[in-house]
Amino acid sequence: PPGNIHNTYPYLHKTDTDDMVPLVIEDLNSYGLCVLDNFCGPQLGRAALKELLCIYNKGIFQDGQLVAKSKNDAQSIRSDKIMWVDGKEPFCVNIGTLLKKIDGLIMRANKMPNNGKLGQYLINGRTKAMLAVYPGSGTHYVKHVDNPNHDGRCITAIYYLNIDWDVQKKGGLLRIFPENESNTVADIAPLFDRLLFFWSDRQNPHEVQPSYDTRYAITLWYFDATERALATEKFELEKRLRELGAIRTAPTQEQLRI
Ligand SMILES: Cc1cc(NC(=O)CCC(=O)O)nc(C)c1Br
Ligand SMILES: [Fe+3]
């Protein structure tokens, strides 16, 4: 729309499983992000959505953590509901299959010869899957960086499950502000069966614009072995120092989650 200076990022890749790997490598290296449409087909996509809804309707999702302390009430900072699953639970069979496909793609891309920046990472694991539901009451998510302080996460993977999502009516755009593209933003609509990858560090500040319908996403964060080992070591050391009373800082929410 006028007023937004942003080049359209040529990401309308129609995918079938095998040749996605070069696309992921190329786009991550060129833009710091990659969008794959029709990632796993409507059958698996719908089955995964069904499972997410079933879990959500059990009322066991929690409020998302605070991204930043705010003077006014916490709700204004983020109003998504989240739940962590590892995908092996009996009520997550299809979500589990989806996660395996995403893992397979990332591992194949990470192992490809001369895969650019991806080659700087040795991806050896990931977080659990975070199921997220943004209630559609104009909720938003403030601009932030996923991994600002080298906690080990190198790639964010977000799978969207929103059938018939019209951004003009429902908003909910994920806007990424790529660090080294001064007047360019990437506006990613949270479309059904769309998979998004982006570097998790300061290269990709991002925000979710207000959504006017319930908005579903599944997020994974992949770890770089070295950065993760260092972060864990640092965390253990700080824990020991705290126990010894040598330092008095309280562990951050983020550290506790990790
Ligand atoms: C819990 C948590 C969620 C997110 N999610 C998004 O940025 C939204 C992306 C989208 O749904 O399009 N980011 C961080 C840094 C944390 Br922590
Ligand atoms: Fe984020």
Side-chain angles (χ1 to χ4, degrees):
N4 289 327
I5 332 150
H6 62 283
N7 312 325
T8 46
Y9 160 68
Y11 55 59
L12 289 174
H13 295 310
K14 294 296 163 203
T15 58
D16 57 59
T17 39
D18 293 346
D19 61 357
M20 287 187 264
V21 173
L23 295 174
V24 172
I25 293 172
E26 207 173 291
D27 287 3
L28 275 175
N29 285 323
S30 312
Y31 309 101
L33 63 103
C34 173
V35 179
L36 297 171
D37 281 318
N38 309 317
F39 174 65
C40 65
Q43 294 77 7
L44 182 54
R46 283 177 181 274
L49 173 60
K50 208 159 152 258
E51 285 176 349
L52 189 153
L53 286 169
C54 182
I55 303 167
Y56 186 61
N57 293 328
K58 285 197 171 66
I60 45 181
F61 273 57
Q62 316 95 24
D63 281 347
Q65 294 105 326
L66 293 180
V67 177
K69 286 273 160 281
S70 112
K71 339 182 244 315
N72 44 32
D73 68 308
Q75 276 309 323
S76 69
I77 286 292
R78 57 176 303 165
S79 353
D80 56 331
K81 309 264 181 233
I82 62 170
M83 181 172 168
W84 294 94
V85 297
D86 65 24
K88 297 185 188 69
E89 298 86 350
F91 48 83
C92 283
V93 174
N94 294 294
I95 289 175
T97 308
L98 168 67
L99 302 182
K100 281 201 196 79
K101 289 173 82 85
I102 302 173
D103 289 345
L105 178 49
I106 284 288
M107 294 328 283
R108 288 203 302 276
N110 194 219
K111 292 197 172 65
M112 283 289 273
N114 51 53
N115 54 3
K117 259 177 111 152
L118 206 48
Q120 282 165 10
Y121 298 118
L122 170 65
I123 295 172
N124 71 334
R126 62 164 165 79
T127 64
K128 284 188 169 187
M130 188 190 76
L131 311 183
V133 176
Y134 290 75
S137 48
T139 61
H140 71 294
Y141 192 98
V142 291
K143 187 171 170 181
H144 65 278
V145 168
D146 283 2
N147 173 14
N149 306 316
H150 312 294
D151 64 26
R153 293 177 291 168
C154 60
I155 292 181
T156 303
I158 308 179
Y159 181 79
Y160 295 109
L161 301 113
N162 306 294
I163 297 171
D164 295 338
W165 188 274
D166 174 356
V167 175
Q168 304 306 332
K169 288 202 205 86
K170 303 184 176 183
L173 271 181
L174 171 70
R175 174 162 285 184
I176 304 181
F177 304 78
E179 187 186 42
N180 39 21
E181 311 274 333
S182 55
N183 65 353
T184 303
V185 294
D187 281 346
I188 317 282
L191 305 182
F192 176 71
D193 199 18
R194 170 169 280 186
L195 178 61
L196 163 67
F197 293 120
F198 58 88
W199 303 125
S200 308
D201 65 8
R202 291 168 191 266
Q203 293 173 78
N204 288 315
H206 54 281
E207 65 186 12
V208 177
Q209 302 194 336
S211 312
Y212 300 99
D213 195 358
T214 316
R215 180 181 183 281
Y216 305 102
I218 299 176
T219 305
L220 301 168
W221 283 277
Y222 288 89
F223 292 128
D224 165 63
T226 313
E227 186 178 316
R228 181 68 179 161
L230 284 174
T232 310
E233 202 181 304
K234 180 167 175 282
F235 178 68
E236 298 304 332
L237 177 64
E238 283 172 355
K239 202 160 133 232
R240 285 292 295 132
L241 289 173
R242 258 197 309 278
E243 281 156 5
L244 297 171
I247 53 175
R248 281 182 224 294
T249 56
T252 64
Q253 275 248 353
E254 205 50 40
Q255 280 170 332
L256 288 177
R257 187 168 71 78
I258 281 186

